[in-house]
Amino acid sequence: MQIEFLTKNENFDNLRLIFSGYGQDKRIFDYLLAKYEGNLALVYDYRTLDFDESLIIPYKTIELFAWSMGVMIAPKVLEAHNLLDRVLKSTSINGTVYGIDDTFGIAPAMWQATIDSINEKTAMKFYQRMCTDKAVFDEFLPFSCQRSVQELKNELEFIQMINQIKGPNFKYNTAYVGLKDRIFPSVSQLCALENVKETNVITTQTGHFDINLFKQILIND
């Protein structure tokens, strides 16, 4: 895993920590650069379980924001490094703690089919499906990742493995569900959250990726 700081401010001891989704790199949140006055870090590239906790330890508290498969991965990683108890506020965006699941996530058969068929054309189709329409896709393109198809396939396979690891009984404080999500079905998200009283569920008329929504949630822009 990669951890990169988008903004740093030594006057604050709190960290806003973003766990990104599959198939991204630092560019996906480049539009947040210099727009947040505190400490903002991004975790991405889930091809290994390597996690440099020394970059996170100096911060007393964590505000966790997780998107897509990051929603499943974040609690497992933070618990493994004894950092989960520092999370004072948590927000999920278009994902569930179940990750790959027939009822509460992305269907395992669909995930495996993505692995089996991935190439440059299908990878681009995935990014198109993240967006509700051409206008949103055009907004996304300048921030699309610069990674090879082989890297993307390796990440898909490793996320499949991470999904098998038993995670903590973690409940996000707030969950945003995009009703137009074509990657992580909103029906599955809402099923996963149906009886979770600890989570405030907010539905939006957005797809899997939406710059304006991310700005609103992550930097209150």
Side-chain angles (χ1 to χ4, degrees), residues 107-132:
M110 180 66 71
W111 194 267
Q112 186 60 51
T114 304
I115 293 173
D116 295 339
S117 65
I118 191 166
N119 54 43
E120 289 187 5
K121 183 178 180 179
T122 58
M124 183 56 65
K125 184 177 180 180
F126 167 80
Y127 294 128
Q128 290 173 333
R129 287 180 60 79
M130 287 199 327
C131 306
T132 51

Side-chain angles (χ1 to χ4, degrees), residues 67-112:
W67 171 47
S68 192
M69 278 297 161
V71 176
M72 176 270 291
I73 294 169
K76 296 180 180 183
V77 171
L78 294 177
E79 183 189 49
H81 293 273
N82 299 313
L83 293 168
L84 196 57
D85 60 353
R86 299 194 187 194
V87 175
L88 295 186
K89 176 183 177 183
S90 57
T91 302
S92 69
I93 308 167
N94 292 334
T96 73
V97 294
Y98 298 93
I100 304 169
D101 186 272
D102 274 320
T103 305
F104 303 126
I106 296 176
M110 180 66 71
W111 194 267
Q112 186 60 51

